[in-house]
Amino acid sequence: MKSLGYLNKYFFKYKWRLLLGIAFIICVNYVKVKMPEYFGTNFDELNEGNGERATSVMTFALYMGAGYLLLSLISGTFLFLQRQTIIIMSRLIEYDLKNEVYDQYQKLSNTFYKKNSTGDLMNRISEDVTKVRMYLGPGLMYTINLLFLSMLSIYKMVSINGYLTVIVLLPLPLMSFLIYKVSSRMNRLSGVVQTEQSHMSTLAQEYFSGIRVVKAYSRDKTVQDKFDDSSESYKEKNMRLVLVNSLFIPIIFALIGLSTLLVLYIGGLLHYSNQISQGDIIQFIFYVNMLTWPFASIGWVTSLIQRAAASQTRINEFLNEKSEIHVNCDTPFNFQGAIEFKNVSYTYKNSGIRAIQNLSFKLERNETLGIVGNTGSGKSTILGLLMRQIDPDEGEILIDGKPLKEINLKELRNQTGIVPQDVFLFSDSVGNNISFGALTDDVTEDDLIEVTKQAHVYHNIQEFKDGFDTILGERGVNLSGGQKQRVSIARALIRNPKLLLLDDSLSAVDTETEEIILKNLKERKVNASIVVSHRISSIRHANRIINISDGQKTEEGSHADLMAMNGSYAEMYQKQLVED
Ligand SMILES: Nc1ncnc2c1ncn2[C@@H]1O[C@H](COP(=O)(O)OP(=O)(O)OP(=O)(O)O)[C@@H](O)[C@H]1O
Ligand SMILES: [Mg+2]
């Protein structure tokens, strides 16, 4: 329950709505409680035959009908207003909470995203927040409602007859308890159903995105069987839920029936001993029926609050998560072009792999650094460190002579165009995918043409029927590997980067195209660029080249220097020449 305390700040934010809602709840219940009284007393007047207005049964019926309609209209109006305030408040809080969780997601570092699965992240922002909203809206509303309704009607009942009140209310707590048991079981089962469902959709999603592999290996049957199993298990769990669900209403009706019988029997006895009138019995039947739903809701609301508390605990876990990357600098920053790594080491915590070991290098303004090395040698990690997706365990990174940790990260990232190794394109138009990289919203067609020409992909886009408006499938499936890479380069260029980082971004293009792109990039004014590659042709013209092996720098120098060393770089070059 403590976790729900977190939401109090929101109650405070929407205090007027809440207070107004409570006022409406009181109004609804006040009018509701008036109804039985109105019936009971008028009935007694008719019975005794001394009422001035209710002279005949016909006029009595008309009179009662009109009265009932009027009171219903009034309480209905208040009920409408009650829902308009409290339920809307819960929706507003849900909106705020979702934004808060989303903001937090944006702040967290890559390490966090590697630790938590996408499904889990999605669940917390949708399922968990929804459960919390159920507490904020219906949970709160029914609780306050129960409080006032039972206070007002029990007061009325006791003022008619205390003994009868105690007798007829006896089954109600039992009902609350049973409903609580049923609801808890239902919640547990619906949790299981939900897990099954998310399992099923993860399965489907994975097979859809990997459909090409599935078909190429003709594993359709296996995949189909797996899905069938999952679907079957989902159905089974759901059936159990349906069974428990169907107990809900019968329990309520059985217990209302019991209370009503008690009113008629005990009330009848009391009437014969002249302690209460027939009108009083009618009032009691009304009150008992009126109290049924609120008492049933105690059980329901209790389990609802328990669920909300569990969800809020999970949400709080996320909200309390601190980003490993601390950015507390907002001084303006203008990248000049100097980068230095000083004895930097980094170990991935989750795998314990020491990806970078005691690495040092320097890059001056207007220079290009080439990084080569075997697969898994730590090249991408160097770029991750430079972009502060991760922070080094030892050593220091200097940008323009200043420690990276003291630099305004947002501005540094804004001035950097990075082409990541695994290209990610959104299922949007080619044009929008490219303008995604721009810092302004007013990207013109000319801008797009310019950068796509530089990335040597304009001629491809021109061939598409819809040009820049061509919609890409999920992750850009309708582009070739090399086209995706070049679109990704265009996205980096459109922001006019001062620092350009290419992580193996030319691996899927042929050497001729590579040469054209490299020539175009050279003509662009960037203050520094780093090119990571497996292919020496991509980096041979760089001012400096470092050769990385197992996270350590093995060789450094210009292409000519490295060739003269006749070490592993020279050997790699000879091999690649032969391959070409
Ligand atoms: N997120 C991660 N968690 C744990 N270990 C990682 C992670 N990313 C990379 N590694 C490990 O760190 C080492 C360096 O990886 P890195 O991606 O920097 O290599 P790379 O030189 O870019 O390789 P490639 O040429 O294949 O892209 C590898 O051994 C890899 O297994
Ligand atoms: Mg890499």
Side-chain angles (χ1 to χ4, degrees):
M1 284 294 291
K2 232 199 260 158
S3 60
L4 291 175
Y6 183 79
L7 300 165
N8 292 346
K9 62 172 186 189
Y10 287 119
F11 285 136
F12 194 73
K13 180 173 174 192
Y14 296 107
K15 55 182 178 299
W16 295 117
R17 232 172 242 278
L18 180 62
L19 289 175
L20 203 63
I22 294 175
F24 288 134
I25 293 179
I26 296 176
C27 294
V28 171
N29 289 317
Y30 184 77
V31 179
K32 256 198 203 161
V33 170
K34 275 274 166 247
M35 282 180 172
E37 196 185 338
Y38 177 71
F39 270 80
T41 44
N42 278 300
F43 186 80
D44 283 342
E45 279 181 22
L46 173 82
N47 241 2
E48 289 155 19
N50 56 6
E52 285 162 31
R53 292 161 297 186
T55 43
S56 76
V57 174
M58 204 50 211
T59 33
F60 170 75
L62 272 178
Y63 191 59
M64 282 292 97
Y68 188 76
L69 201 64
L70 187 69
L71 286 174
S72 299
L73 272 177
I74 298 174
S75 82
T77 310
F78 281 128
L79 192 66
F80 170 75
L81 293 172
Q82 164 197 322
R83 297 190 70 92
Q84 283 293 303
T85 44
I86 301 238
I87 301 294
I88 286 185
M89 176 194 77
S90 75
R91 288 286 180 191
L92 290 172
I93 298 181
E94 179 188 25
Y95 169 82
D96 287 347
L97 193 61
K98 275 192 180 173
N99 280 335
E100 195 181 337
V101 174
Y102 192 78
D103 267 358
Q104 171 73 356
Y105 281 174
Q106 300 279 65
K107 280 189 208 132
L108 291 169
S109 68
N110 279 18
T111 322
F112 169 84
Y113 284 98
K114 289 196 171 124
K115 221 166 51 193
N116 294 284
S117 72
T118 313
D120 198 26
L121 300 181
M122 298 288 285
N123 248 330
R124 294 194 194 207
I125 205 167
S126 57
E127 291 298 327
D128 283 334
V129 175
T130 303
K131 283 182 193 152
V132 170
R133 188 194 68 81
M134 288 300 281
Y135 151 71
L136 295 166
L140 192 72
M141 192 172 74
Y142 285 116
T143 309
I144 302 172
N145 191 49
L146 169 77
L147 205 70
F148 286 105
L149 183 64
S150 45
M151 262 175 10
L152 289 170
S153 45
I154 292 174
Y155 170 75
K156 290 273 183 202
M157 287 161 85
V158 170
S159 62
I160 297 172
N161 190 301
Y163 170 65
L164 187 59
T165 310
V166 174
I167 298 291
V168 300
L169 289 186
L170 273 182
L172 294 185
L174 177 68
M175 176 171 73
S176 302
F177 177 73
L178 286 177
I179 298 284
Y180 167 67
K181 280 284 167 205
V182 173
S183 310
S184 302
R185 189 154 170 75
M186 255 163 61
N187 286 341
R188 211 160 344 117
L189 283 175
S190 62
V192 174
V193 168
Q194 230 157 50
T195 318
E196 276 312 316
Q197 190 179 9
S198 82
H199 177 230
M200 200 165 74
S201 42
T202 308
L203 210 65
Q205 188 236 329
E206 210 162 79
Y207 287 140
F208 288 149
S209 44
I211 191 77
R212 284 199 273 190
V213 182
V214 172
K215 288 207 183 278
Y217 281 76
S218 57
R219 298 302 300 254
D220 317 35
K221 179 82 176 63
T222 329
V223 168
Q224 172 82 54
D225 289 346
K226 272 199 182 161
F227 189 78
D228 278 352
D229 287 347
S230 163
S231 196
E232 181 64 34
S233 148
Y234 172 71
K235 187 190 78 187
E236 252 172 50
K237 307 269 158 57
N238 233 336
M239 287 302 173
R240 261 190 267 165
L241 179 63
V242 170
L243 182 73
V244 178
N245 213 342
S246 56
L247 289 175
F248 210 88
I249 303 290
I251 290 181
I252 295 177
F253 276 100
L255 290 162
I256 305 179
L258 186 61
S259 281
T260 313
L261 273 180
L262 284 173
V263 174
L264 286 173
Y265 180 66
I266 312 265
L269 292 181
L270 288 173
H271 177 63
Y272 278 117
S273 57
N274 273 330
Q275 293 184 44
I276 57 172
S277 68
Q278 286 178 12
D280 292 339
I281 296 180
I282 292 182
Q283 285 195 50
F284 257 84
I285 292 179
F286 264 101
Y287 285 129
V288 165
N289 280 278
M290 211 181 260
L291 283 175
T292 312
W293 283 109
F295 269 88
S297 72
I298 297 182
W300 181 65
V301 166
T302 313
S303 80
L304 194 139
I305 292 178
Q306 279 178 345
R307 257 200 314 176
S311 287
Q312 187 62 41
T313 309
R314 273 198 295 272
I315 294 173
N316 288 348
E317 260 170 36
F318 267 55
L319 292 179
N320 293 334
E321 186 104 17
K322 291 274 176 296
S323 173
E324 290 177 357
I325 308 294
H326 302 289
V327 194
N328 38 17
C329 164
D330 41 17
T331 46
F333 169 74
N334 204 347
F335 179 58
Q336 296 302 313
I339 295 172
E340 185 178 0
F341 271 51
K342 264 167 124 180
N343 308 320
V344 172
S345 295
Y346 181 77
T347 304
Y348 282 105
K349 311 285 172 299
N350 52 349
S351 60
I353 290 175
R354 192 144 192 242
I356 295 295
Q357 298 180 44
N358 203 18
L359 177 72
S360 304
F361 65 82
K362 234 174 157 171
L363 189 66
E364 305 291 349
R365 185 182 164 89
N366 295 336
E367 282 189 344
T368 299
L369 174 75
I371 305 179
V372 280
N374 300 335
T375 163
S377 54
K379 303 179 297 294
S380 299
T381 309
I382 297 176
L383 298 188
L385 285 162
L386 186 58
M387 279 295 91
R388 273 200 89 189
Q389 286 160 355
I390 43 180
D391 275 340
D393 304 324
E394 287 159 41
E396 200 176 26
I397 301 169
L398 302 171
I399 306 282
D400 293 340
K402 251 178 85 177
L404 178 56
K405 285 187 177 175
E406 290 169 20
I407 281 172
N408 186 333
L409 188 60
K410 192 170 162 52
E411 295 208 350
L412 173 66
R413 286 184 179 167
N414 277 348
Q415 290 164 30
T416 306
I418 181 163
V419 185
Q421 190 168 16
D422 40 351
V423 174
F424 189 95
L425 297 174
F426 301 97
S427 44
D428 197 345
S429 67
V430 184
N432 285 344
N433 264 292
I434 297 171
S435 4
F436 182 84
L439 294 172
T440 54
D441 286 334
D442 49 350
V443 176
T444 62
E445 173 114 8
D446 288 342
D447 297 333
L448 289 176
I449 293 174
E450 188 194 330
V451 291
T452 45
K453 274 187 175 161
Q454 284 169 347
H456 199 60
V457 69
Y458 181 62
H459 60 284
N460 294 127
I461 296 174
Q462 254 184 329
E463 283 167 14
F464 298 156
K465 196 164 73 25
D466 298 322
F468 284 115
D469 295 327
T470 307
I471 298 290
L472 301 185
E474 202 172 329
R475 282 173 171 254
V477 282
N478 41 353
L479 292 184
S480 76
Q483 286 168 347
K484 274 192 261 187
Q485 278 190 339
R486 282 171 289 150
V487 167
S488 186
I489 294 175
R491 172 157 78 191
L493 294 181
I494 203 155
R495 57 174 31 199
N496 281 320
K498 291 181 178 162
L499 171 62
L500 184 64
L501 307 177
L502 304 183
D503 191 353
D504 218 4
S505 311
L506 298 166
S507 61
V509 301
D510 53 55
T511 30
E512 275 164 56
T513 313
E514 178 184 33
E515 215 162 299
I516 298 172
I517 298 173
L518 287 173
K519 197 174 131 279
N520 291 344
L521 293 181
K522 207 165 182 176
E523 282 164 13
R524 274 192 78 102
K525 272 209 73 62
V526 289
N527 294 351
S529 51
I530 299 184
V531 181
V532 169
S533 180
H534 284 113
R535 255 203 327 239
I536 291 188
S537 55
S538 296
I539 48 119
R540 59 175 294 182
H541 298 295
N543 306 79
R544 290 155 200 261
I545 298 165
I546 55 175
N547 189 357
I548 304 282
S549 173
D550 282 335
Q552 280 169 316
K553 183 174 74 179
T554 53
E555 291 166 313
E556 180 174 14
S558 67
H559 177 70
D561 297 339
L562 292 172
M563 287 307 289
M565 278 179 206
N566 214 3
S568 72
Y569 179 90
E571 193 186 330
M572 207 190 302
Y573 182 64
Q574 294 303 343
K575 264 193 208 157
Q576 290 183 4
L577 264 190
V578 175
E579 279 166 19
D580 273 357

